[in-house]
Amino acid sequence: MSSYPIEHNGSPPAIASSSRSSPTEEEEEHSEDGLDIQRDELLAEEDPLHENGQLEGISFRRTQKAVKPSFASRFLPSPFRPASAQSDGPRARSSAYPTTSTILSYLNIPSSDNKDAEGYDWHNEGPGKRVAYDNLTAIDWIYEYNRERIRLRHLTANAPGLLGQLKLLVDASHIWLILVATGIAVGSIAAGIDVASDWMGDLKQGVCSNVQSGGRFYLSRPFCCWGTNSFAECKDWRTWSTRLGVDNKGGSYIIEYIFFVSLSVLFASCASLLVNRFSLYAKQSGIPEIKTMLGGFIIRRFLGTWTLVVKSLGLCLAVASGMWLGKEGPLVHVACCCANLFMKLSPSISGNEARKRETLSAAAASGISVAFGSPIGGVLFSLEQLSYYFPDKTMWASFVCAMVAAVTLQAFDPFRTGKLVLYQVTYHSGWHAFELVPFAIIGIIGGLYGAMFIRLNILINRWRASLSNPFHKHPVLEVVAIALLTALISFPVTFLRAQSSELVEYLFAECRDINDDYLGLCKAGRANTGVIFILLISAFIGFLLATITFGLQIPAGILLPSMAVGALYGRVVGLIVEVWQREHPAWFVFASCEPDLPCVTPGTYAVIGAASALAGATRMTVSIVVIMFELTGALTYVLPIMIAVMLSKWVGDAFGKKGIYESWIAFQGYPFIDNKDDAPVADVPVSQIMTRMEDLVCITATGHTIGSLREMLKEHRFRGFPVINEEREAILLGYISRTELAFALNSGSEQPLPDITECVFRHDPHIDPGEVLDLRPWMDQTPITLSSRCGFQLTKDMFERLGLRYVVFTDKGMLAGLMTKKDLWYVLNEGEEGRFGGGGTTGVLREEADGREDERGLLRHDAQDGDEGDEHGRGRGGEG
């Protein structure tokens, strides 16, 4: 079909379709993400037919009842088995006990052309041969899982008994070794990022020097002043004005201002240069792309070695720059990159796209585990936010990977405090019933924040991707400009000058646990009013800076900035309630407060505010509650956090169901179909939505030559073509993808064939197999089909539940129409206007959509594979 328009933000173009192609030499060289299948990985085996044309090992005559094997025979081969049965392996056993799975296994085996002309042709039916997936295409979930089942059967076919069980055990251990190695790598990288970013962040304000206590320049301020009561008493830490010998207050302020701004801009520009020079896929958080990939999309080089290196180094620089971004989301991308590299050591996993995605789902949990010090929260984050398919075995694997990563980070102990993250806190008091009202208010504010943030951020990035943006072709200069603006605004405001993790740590803490209040957070009397005002200003400025920062070409997450904004307004509400209770202790509302003891803890309001902001921005619920619980360790505050998160999600959903990641998926134009979305669709027949047969480019079973098919591929740039019996009857025979067809035409036989060679898509006993090119092995002769009279809801459920790439619609065996995954995505996302009315349409993908696709850059032509079409061909009058 034609392509569809969507706003494009300057990222590499996405091509939504589902096909496989043979990778070129250049593609094989740069295919570092491990998400492709090599050309030689075809399911090619010996012909299962005997010379008489009968299928070996399968009989349709009534057989005797099979004898149930004994317990010992399951592990040890029987010495009384006939020699022929032992030597023949699986074929001999299948001959005695034919099963459905045995028959199905032959469907993937190409047959020889030298067969009896009078034999039946049903053995050729099946999904056909496949070659490597194209970049930016969807995978075939059903085909991948079928390949895995066949592989497991073949694994033990020639090794019965104990040896076969050992083979299965060794094969099953691969994924555990990969996840353990991933957890260790992620924990180590996270510790390195923490140490490096903290040192460079403190470098903006001063440097540690050897004065009294043996300070060294490579120590951050907390380690340089280790053992002192406050930073003011630390002699080893010197500000830049002190290093330059400037003593007066005005001159010191200017010197420190200049150094702060200069180093902030330097760190941000270096991070952006790394991204734009070496790996563009390392920009932003990477979670929208990972979520799309786990949904069955191929993005090559997104999880490659260069992406991992640039993302890790860029995170250190970006976090140290002081811009309103976080490292928590990008650590999920880092974890998936590590898992992808280790998967290359196991061909059984790297060669199957479905198993890859199960492994990536488990690895993603380790990123959140080290980001928040929350292993269980990481597992729930992967389940709730990222994964498309998350069986029980994947949950257990996620838990193991997250646990190993957390233990590794704990072993490094980067903060030397025993904490996995800087802002882990412990509270000494509980909460009272009257506080449920301010907790609910905080939840409502979080929902409003999330709705405004998503809408404003998408609007800014639409403008950023347009030609009206003066930095449209200069993304590094845009990062420099935003970093300069952030530094100029942040330095005069004490709360904004601190690093985001440091700010959240102070906002979460109780005042009695703060030894050195260098931020001026804990004040009493009238000074407290000034603190409230500064916190409100900081929250507003942080909201605006986070909105314009997320989307720059720099490694940047949104989780920590949202937590910081939420903690700021949550602390404000807590301070207001604290002052109110202190000024009116006798009011009946505060009757439950104990005398001479603090009744209100503002730090808990900051935690609840951070949870509400996260829920409003991401629309997550359970994982946020667990993450916050693991951060605070206070079981008593689970209920207030749940109330705030629930209200935040309800308020946010009132403005739109999509969170920030889903909104970015739609903005980028990725064809992601959310199988967790249970929103009802219009109750209309699918015949009003599908592309009808008369608008498809179909291939007839006979009447084609190699030359005519090549001309058809040049004329039509579509991803695949339905195969029919003939134009008059249009009986559906199957579906052939563009890449399989092109590969078969170029290398479908041992010797090059002339262009006049006839091509056939069905069995004809009167045709000499040596004179024609039989393309049936490359054709999917069993595509998923539905009746053209079924409803659109059923079709949507089929795509979501089975992960389909396309569905063919028939009417009594006659081809009626076709719908691809991109068609469905277009209808669900942009097809609200005029898509469900009238019976005279030609489907949702009309010819006029072609021009609009190129204008908006949704799924543009890829220079390497040259395909910009859909799963099927669509033309005029059902050309053949």
Side-chain angles (χ1 to χ4, degrees), residues 190 194 327-328 331 365-378 402-403 405-407 409-410 415 418-424 563 626-633:
D194 287 336
K327 65 178 183 299
E328 286 71 18
L331 279 176
S366 64
I368 295 298
S369 174
V370 296
F372 293 105
S374 175
I376 301 177
M403 178 196 66
V407 170
L409 183 60
Q410 183 72 60
F415 306 110
K419 299 178 180 179
L420 293 179
V421 292
L422 192 62
Y423 39 84
Q424 278 184 329
M563 290 180 62
V626 174
I627 288 173
M628 289 300 169
F629 163 68
E630 291 186 275
L631 277 177
T632 61

Side-chain angles (χ1 to χ4, degrees), residues 715-829:
E715 181 180 358
H716 303 288
R717 312 296 298 176
F718 307 121
R719 290 285 186 179
F721 308 90
V723 180
I724 58 177
N725 186 37
E726 57 185 29
E727 293 185 2
R728 290 184 304 172
E729 290 184 326
I731 297 177
L732 179 66
L733 299 181
Y735 175 91
I736 187 167
S737 176
R738 176 190 185 88
T739 47
E740 269 82 39
L741 178 59
F743 181 81
L745 293 177
N746 295 328
S747 56
S749 60
E750 298 179 357
Q751 298 180 355
L753 298 175
D755 287 349
I756 60 173
T757 303
E758 184 180 359
C759 300
V760 295
F761 292 88
R762 67 179 178 185
H763 174 66
D764 190 345
H766 304 291
I767 295 181
D768 185 3
E771 298 179 355
V772 299
L773 177 61
D774 190 355
L775 295 176
R776 287 175 299 161
W778 301 95
M779 179 177 65
D780 183 2
Q781 301 186 57
T782 57
I784 301 296
T785 59
L786 288 175
S787 171
S788 59
R789 298 183 178 90
C790 70
F792 180 53
Q793 181 67 54
L794 174 61
T795 306
K796 174 177 175 289
D797 292 341
M798 291 283 287
F799 273 100
E800 292 177 347
R801 301 297 185 267
L802 301 179
L804 302 178
R805 297 185 296 170
Y806 57 87
V807 172
V808 184
F809 300 97
T810 60
D811 185 8
K812 298 179 180 179
M814 310 280 287
L815 176 64
L818 189 141
M819 176 178 287
T820 68
K821 185 176 183 179
K822 193 172 73 175
D823 298 350
L824 179 64
W825 174 86
Y826 182 73
V827 171
L828 296 179
N829 288 272

Side-chain angles (χ1 to χ4, degrees), residues 401-436:
C401 189
M403 178 196 66
V404 173
V407 170
T408 303
L409 183 60
Q410 183 72 60
F412 280 102
D413 194 11
F415 306 110
R416 294 299 184 268
T417 59
K419 299 178 180 179
L420 293 179
V421 292
L422 192 62
Y423 39 84
Q424 278 184 329
V425 293
T426 302
Y427 295 115
H428 307 287
S429 59
W431 55 279
H432 302 83
F434 71 87
E435 293 181 284
L436 289 177

Side-chain angles (χ1 to χ4, degrees), residues 218-517:
Y218 54 80
L219 295 177
S220 61
R221 185 164 61 171
F223 288 109
C224 183
C225 301
W226 195 268
T228 59
N229 294 326
S230 65
F231 291 143
E233 301 176 359
C234 181
K235 302 301 183 180
D236 286 356
W237 182 260
R238 291 188 170 189
T239 61
W240 290 112
S241 59
T242 304
R243 294 282 296 178
L244 296 178
V246 179
D247 297 331
N248 64 82
K249 188 175 182 180
S252 299
Y253 186 85
I254 294 176
I255 293 296
E256 292 174 12
Y257 203 158
I258 292 175
F259 269 90
F260 183 89
V261 173
S262 300
L263 291 177
S264 297
V265 174
L266 176 64
F267 294 153
S269 59
C270 289
S272 183
L273 280 173
L274 281 174
V275 169
N276 285 272
R277 184 67 60 87
F278 297 103
S279 178
L280 193 61
Y281 283 130
K283 66 179 181 179
Q284 301 165 13
S285 70
I287 290 183
E289 288 78 10
I290 290 174
K291 188 170 183 177
T292 304
M293 291 175 64
L294 296 182
F297 202 54
I298 296 288
I299 305 179
R300 288 182 182 169
R301 294 182 292 278
F302 183 76
L303 301 178
T305 305
W306 274 110
T307 303
L308 174 61
V309 174
V310 173
K311 193 87 169 188
S312 302
L313 296 178
L315 272 180
C316 299
L317 295 167
V319 173
S321 69
M323 300 179 69
W324 275 75
L325 48 83
K327 65 178 183 299
E328 286 71 18
L331 279 176
V332 176
H333 188 187
V334 170
C336 291
C337 289
C338 293
N340 178 70
L341 293 180
F342 289 121
M343 275 192 291
K344 293 183 178 180
L345 302 176
S346 174
S348 62
I349 297 178
S350 62
N352 189 284
E353 297 295 334
R355 292 198 68 194
K356 284 182 185 177
R357 277 147 183 80
E358 291 182 8
T359 308
L360 292 176
S361 296
S366 64
I368 295 298
S369 174
V370 296
F372 293 105
S374 175
I376 301 177
V379 175
L380 295 177
F381 181 90
S382 179
L383 170 62
E384 184 177 5
Q385 180 64 43
L386 293 178
S387 300
Y388 186 87
Y389 178 63
F390 201 86
D392 292 340
K393 61 179 180 179
T394 304
M395 178 174 292
W396 169 232
S398 301
F399 178 78
V400 171
C401 189
M403 178 196 66
V404 173
V407 170
T408 303
L409 183 60
Q410 183 72 60
F412 280 102
D413 194 11
F415 306 110
R416 294 299 184 268
T417 59
K419 299 178 180 179
L420 293 179
V421 292
L422 192 62
Y423 39 84
Q424 278 184 329
V425 293
T426 302
Y427 295 115
H428 307 287
S429 59
W431 55 279
H432 302 83
F434 71 87
E435 293 181 284
L436 289 177
V437 175
F439 292 158
I441 294 175
I442 291 176
I444 294 173
I445 296 175
L448 295 175
Y449 157 79
M452 290 188 297
F453 173 80
I454 294 172
R455 185 158 298 183
L456 185 58
N457 179 257
I458 295 299
L459 288 176
I460 290 175
N461 281 282
R462 287 185 189 277
W463 172 82
R464 181 174 286 152
S466 64
L467 297 178
S468 59
N469 177 17
F471 300 105
H472 179 70
K473 296 183 178 180
H474 307 283
V476 178
L477 292 180
E478 184 178 17
V479 171
V480 170
I482 301 300
L484 178 63
L485 176 65
T486 303
L488 290 174
I489 296 176
S490 298
F491 187 82
V493 183
T494 308
F495 295 118
L496 299 181
R497 190 187 306 178
Q499 293 290 106
S500 297
S501 57
E502 187 179 3
L503 174 63
V504 172
E505 178 193 14
Y506 269 78
L507 293 173
F508 280 6
E510 293 189 36
C511 283
R512 57 175 158 173
D513 295 331
I514 299 178
N515 297 324
D516 184 13
D517 187 19

